[in-house]
Amino acid sequence: AQLQRTTTAPITVLDIGAGTGLLSMYAVTCGAEHVYACEMNTTMANMAASCVNHNGDEMENHITVINKMSTDLEVGV
């Protein structure tokens, strides 16, 4: 889709406030190589992980759900 038309470089996405992970899955569908889905609420992070898992290997292999506040993330670690 649009991501694929604008660049040929691998695309990594950080989804802050991922909720159920819907936008993270959409990013993968649109061509993101990997998505880091950050959600501070444990219940919602578990729900996002469950939604990703229920959508198969295509999503599971490309989305990492992180249960932390975005301000606690460290890039490149």
Side-chain angles (χ1 to χ4, degrees):
Q2 188 63 33
L3 286 176
Q4 295 165 333
R5 285 180 270 191
T6 58
T7 183
T8 57
I11 299 165
T12 301
V13 173
L14 173 59
D15 181 6
I16 297 175
T20 60
L22 179 64
L23 293 179
S24 296
M25 291 185 280
Y26 186 65
V28 170
T29 300
C30 289
E33 183 175 295
H34 200 86
V35 177
Y36 294 93
C38 179
E39 176 55 54
M40 70 175 225
N41 182 289
T42 302
T43 302
M44 291 307 294
N46 291 339
M47 179 65 70
S50 178
C51 288
V52 168
N53 292 339
H54 280 88
N55 278 278
D57 289 343
E58 176 65 20
M59 296 300 162
E60 281 186 289
N61 295 333
H62 296 280
I63 299 174
T64 302
V65 177
I66 303 167
N67 183 206
K68 284 187 179 184
M69 290 184 64
S70 60
T71 54
D72 293 336
L73 295 177
E74 295 183 40
V75 177
V77 176

